[in-house]
Amino acid sequence: MAEAAQKELGEPIPSRELPWPMQARRTHRQSHARDKVAQGSGSRVAQWALWLRRSKEKTQERLHTLQPWAWTLKRIGGQFGAGTESYFSLLRFLLLLNVLASVLKACMTLLPTWLEGTPPGPPGPDTSSPCGFYNPDPQGLVTFPTHLFSLLSGVGFLEWSPLFYGFYPPRQHLAVTYLCSVFVIGLLHLVLILHRSVSGLKQTLLAESGVLTSYSHRVFSAWDFGLRGDVHVRLRHRIILYELQVELEEAVVRRQAAVRTLSQQAKVWSVRVLLNLLVIALLGAAFYGVYWATGATVKLQETPLVQEMPLVKLGVDYLPSIFISGVNFLLPPVFKLIAPLEGYTRSRQIVFILLRTVFLRLASLLVLLFSLWNQITCGGNAEAEECKTCGYKYKELPCWETRLGQEMYKLLIFDLLTGLAVMLLIQFPRKLLCGLCPGPLGRTVGTQEFQVPDEVLGLIYAQTVVWVGSFFCPLLPMLNTVKFLLLFYFKKFTLFSTCSPASRTFRAATVNFFFPLVLLLGLTISAVPVLYSIFLIPPSKLCGPFRGQSSIWAKIPESISSLPRITQSFLFFLGTQAFAVPLLLISSILMVYTLVLANSYGRLISELKRQIEMEAQNKVFLAQRAVALSSASGAL
């Protein structure tokens, strides 16, 4: 082991010859100094620690080189700006989340289903219970249009398949792993999103503090002297150009805001209040429309005309998805027109557009879920005639979990089809029109910019749908992985073939923090209906791994009761106040300590900044005195 460490330490490159920033060079020099001390000590423990540290560094370097699409993202950032690059970076991150969720679902849901034997078939038409009967399997031969309808709406042959909740049998180990997979995936995604948010927060605080936004920093410290090749140099040129453009645009807006009079400030705030009232009215109308569309779907499905025409039935089934997609397509451009009228900087306009659009998308999804909850639980009235027997509306929804999974499945499919339709029917024809009409009209109609806020919110909305539906449709993360993979290449092709660089850019540091924050909001919102279904709504009595239970969560205490007594006591202790109260107190103390420490560091940094400003003023004063004295001596 010592020989391996000695070989790795052979002849390190001097820090001054490395094309790195000063901080990286200092870290490199300190690391090699520690390595030499460990090598000279002769201790086997020190040699092992040295070898492990070097192995960890090499593993991190290799993993960094294995990042997919690294060169593509760099090219996008150089040609279209860092804001567009942040969209593709977020898409790559979401693809990683879905790959991890797919692997966990396969290991914790699919494998236990077949390891314990072949799953039983669907219940027959003769199978009945106090909660009615459930027969999802179609009988006899069906036509191709019926198969296509089943594929798009999740009914027919797909309804009793591993795609949906109702397929999985009521087995002890499968029920536990099925439920645990939801919590494991949620916790893993939460940790990864928080890690990404914290890294983005550092960049945002630096960017907003003004430390890295001075023009001297851009001119003298932004160049990477390790670049090789004309392509990399040109890309770096463009990135610096976009950063300077952002700083200049925002400096103009801040300068205009600083010289406003009191009457001008009152006028600006009056305009902002009126525009926000307009936004609230538009959002309220959109939410009411989604609620109406969800309720009208159930009524229209029962009419004879819809039952006789498969195409009309497909349209009625997709009515909530169509209405949500239509609202999400029409209102964001209105928000985009409103934002410049409020007098904010470009980066802040992006934040407001994102906030309004994400509220529209996520709240529309919540309205859809509320409408479905109203149908499932009879409006929360457990004593209603239709819900009194089984706790849910068993006549219309014998397997309500599968119905929820089908709604999320249709939202995912319709979102993909809508994106492809916009690309093929709007974006490419506009580019062709630009080529056929070389005049000003063709340039005006055909010029397209990549709309980062709309595209990012589309990703977050799609991921929130997957988080909500992954419990009721276990294979939804796998479908979303394929969708995001296709989306990356489609968006890349559209970007380079039909879009031009943005005429107005914005700072990427802000959105690099804001995007994961909105994603975290989507994860939090998606947890509400899933946890409510797990703890409060009785599971279906004729399908799924939790049939026969009073609630889905009741399976966990039942499984714990079969463990040894010591393990039972420990697990039940974790859910008592004797464990929760000390944990809350310790967490509060650590949080207060962290806040106090952060405030002390902030005061220290402010004091050092004031000292730097005083030193700069002293130097200016001394330089002025020296010039005055030299002028006086020359006059004499």
Side-chain angles (χ1 to χ4, degrees):
M1 189 60 61
E3 294 178 358
Q6 174 68 25
K7 185 177 180 181
E8 291 200 13
L9 280 173
E11 294 182 359
I13 302 175
S15 299
R16 67 178 63 183
E17 297 182 8
L18 294 171
W20 293 352
M22 293 300 297
Q23 183 63 35
R25 293 181 183 181
R26 189 178 297 112
T27 305
H28 179 265
R29 186 168 58 251
Q30 293 173 355
S31 176
H32 275 288
R34 289 194 302 268
D35 292 346
K36 288 181 179 179
V37 171
Q39 180 186 359
S41 65
S43 171
R44 180 173 289 274
V45 176
Q47 297 290 347
W48 270 98
L50 172 61
W51 181 81
L52 289 174
R53 186 168 64 251
R54 282 305 181 90
S55 301
K56 178 182 177 181
E57 292 175 356
K58 287 198 169 188
T59 303
Q60 290 177 348
E61 292 176 1
R62 288 168 184 167
L63 290 176
H64 184 72
T65 58
L66 291 176
Q67 282 188 348
W69 307 313
W71 165 245
T72 301
L73 294 183
K74 186 179 294 185
R75 183 185 171 196
I76 291 171
Q79 188 166 343
F80 296 93
T84 306
E85 180 187 356
S86 62
Y87 164 80
F88 286 90
S89 177
L90 179 65
L91 179 55
R92 182 177 64 180
F93 175 69
L94 292 179
L95 185 62
L96 170 65
L97 295 185
N98 282 276
V99 168
L100 292 176
S102 301
V103 173
L104 290 173
K105 281 290 184 182
C107 295
M108 302 182 70
T109 303
L110 293 179
L111 283 180
T113 302
W114 271 272
L115 288 178
E116 296 187 23
T118 305
D126 298 332
T127 304
S128 61
S129 71
C131 296
F133 66 94
Y134 178 55
N135 182 26
D137 193 20
Q139 301 295 324
L141 296 175
V142 293
T143 60
F144 175 76
T146 305
H147 271 295
L148 183 61
F149 169 77
S150 301
L151 182 65
L152 292 175
S153 58
V155 298
F157 69 96
L158 282 181
E159 186 169 355
W160 193 265
S161 69
L163 184 62
F164 292 112
Y165 166 93
F167 170 81
Y168 297 92
R171 296 170 179 169
Q172 178 72 19
H173 299 295
L174 174 62
V176 174
T177 56
Y178 189 100
L179 186 56
C180 289
S181 66
V182 178
F183 294 103
V184 171
I185 292 172
L187 182 61
L188 179 62
H189 286 187
L190 176 63
V191 171
L192 292 175
I193 294 172
L194 287 176
H195 179 267
R196 188 178 178 90
S197 300
V198 170
S199 62
L201 177 61
K202 296 176 183 178
Q203 301 174 7
T204 304
L205 292 178
L206 284 174
E208 297 295 336
S209 64
V211 177
L212 299 180
T213 56
S214 61
Y215 304 116
S216 59
H217 167 76
R218 302 294 181 196
V219 174
F220 296 108
S221 304
W223 188 254
D224 185 359
F225 290 94
L227 294 176
R228 295 180 181 180
D230 294 339
V231 177
H232 296 275
V233 171
R234 285 196 297 270
L235 287 176
R236 190 59 186 171
H237 278 159
R238 292 171 183 164
I239 291 173
I240 297 175
L241 175 64
Y242 280 123
E243 291 176 351
L244 289 173
Q245 182 181 351
V246 171
E247 298 301 332
L248 291 171
E249 288 179 354
E250 297 197 353
V252 171
V253 176
R254 286 193 293 266
R255 193 180 302 115
Q256 292 174 352
V259 298
R260 285 178 188 149
T261 62
L262 183 60
S263 60
Q264 290 175 337
Q265 288 281 7
K267 181 180 178 181
V268 169
W269 280 103
S270 300
V271 170
R272 289 175 181 175
V273 169
L274 292 176
L275 292 176
N276 280 283
L277 290 176
L278 175 61
V279 169
I280 292 173
L282 292 174
L283 291 174
F287 298 153
Y288 176 78
V290 173
Y291 184 81
W292 171 84
T294 309
T297 301
V298 179
K299 298 178 181 178
L300 291 174
Q301 285 175 341
E302 298 175 355
T303 59
L305 179 63
V306 173
Q307 294 289 339
E308 295 172 359
M309 302 178 67
L311 189 60
V312 177
K313 188 175 187 302
L314 180 63
V316 170
D317 286 342
Y318 269 90
L319 186 59
S321 303
I322 293 172
F323 202 94
I324 290 176
S325 299
V327 167
N328 293 335
F329 182 76
L330 294 175
L331 288 187
V334 177
F335 298 155
K336 201 176 303 173
L337 293 174
I338 290 174
L341 303 176
E342 296 177 299
Y344 294 112
T345 61
R346 175 64 173 166
S347 298
R348 188 156 294 185
Q349 288 178 27
I350 294 294
V351 170
F352 274 100
I353 293 172
L354 284 171
L355 282 173
R356 290 161 180 166
T357 310
V358 74
F359 185 75
L360 169 67
R361 288 179 176 268
L362 298 184
S364 299
L365 183 60
L366 285 179
V367 171
L368 172 64
L369 293 172
F370 174 78
S371 180
L372 292 173
W373 168 83
N374 201 18
Q375 296 175 20
I376 294 169
T377 63
C378 302
N381 184 14
E383 299 300 324
E385 186 65 28
E386 297 175 324
C387 298
K388 188 174 183 180
T389 305
C390 301
Y392 61 94
K393 194 177 292 187
Y394 63 91
K395 293 182 179 180
E396 296 181 6
L397 302 169
C399 187
W400 62 265
E401 297 92 346
T402 296
R403 170 63 188 278
L404 276 176
Q406 289 170 345
E407 290 296 331
M408 299 302 107
Y409 172 80
K410 286 187 286 188
L411 286 175
L412 181 72
I413 295 296
F414 192 78
D415 188 57
L416 177 61
L417 295 178
T418 303
L420 293 177
V422 170
M423 189 186 310
L424 296 175
L425 302 179
I426 297 178
Q427 294 178 340
F428 282 107
R430 285 182 62 182
K431 187 65 176 179
L432 292 175
L433 182 62
C434 181
L436 295 175
C437 302
L441 178 62
R443 287 194 301 270
T444 303
V445 177
T447 302
Q448 305 176 67
E449 295 182 3
F450 193 81
Q451 304 297 333
V452 177
D454 297 343
E455 300 291 346
V456 166
L457 267 299
L459 292 180
I460 296 174
Y461 167 75
Q463 186 60 46
T464 305
V465 169
V466 172
W467 280 327
V468 173
S470 59
F471 179 79
F472 311 104
C473 183
L475 302 189
L476 207 59
M478 299 181 186
L479 298 178
N480 204 41
T481 301
V482 177
K483 174 190 170 182
F484 279 167
L485 192 62
L486 294 174
L487 193 64
F488 185 92
Y489 288 104
F490 284 143
K491 291 297 181 182
K492 174 190 169 185
F493 179 73
T494 304
L495 180 69
F496 285 105
S497 59
T498 66
C499 295
S500 59
S503 58
R504 299 182 63 196
T505 56
F506 54 92
R507 185 183 294 126
T510 302
V511 295
N512 284 336
F513 165 69
F514 192 74
F515 289 169
L517 189 64
V518 176
L519 192 63
L520 187 63
L521 176 64
L523 178 61
T524 305
I525 290 175
S526 66
V528 174
V530 175
L531 293 178
Y532 187 87
S533 302
I534 291 174
F535 287 98
L536 296 179
I537 303 180
S540 299
K541 302 299 187 290
L542 297 172
C543 67
F546 303 98
R547 64 188 79 171
Q549 301 290 331
S550 59
S551 68
I552 295 176
W553 178 254
K555 196 69 178 180
I556 299 299
E558 180 182 319
S559 302
I560 293 176
S561 62
S562 62
L563 297 175
R565 185 170 297 277
I566 297 177
T567 308
Q568 292 183 39
S569 302
F570 174 74
L571 292 176
F572 282 121
F573 170 74
L574 296 180
T576 60
Q577 295 180 355
F579 175 77
V581 172
L583 180 63
L584 180 62
L585 290 176
I586 294 172
S587 301
S588 303
I589 292 172
L590 291 176
M591 187 180 298
V592 171
Y593 172 76
T594 304
L595 291 175
V596 171
L597 191 63
N599 289 332
S600 64
Y601 285 155
R603 288 193 296 269
L604 178 61
I605 291 172
S606 301
E607 183 65 29
L608 291 175
K609 285 182 179 179
R610 283 195 294 269
Q611 292 181 10
I612 292 173
E613 292 175 358
M614 290 296 297
E615 289 293 332
Q617 293 174 2
N618 291 337
K619 290 179 180 179
V620 171
F621 175 76
L622 292 175
Q624 291 174 349
R625 292 291 298 168
V627 171
L629 291 174
S630 62
S631 300
S633 62
L636 293 175

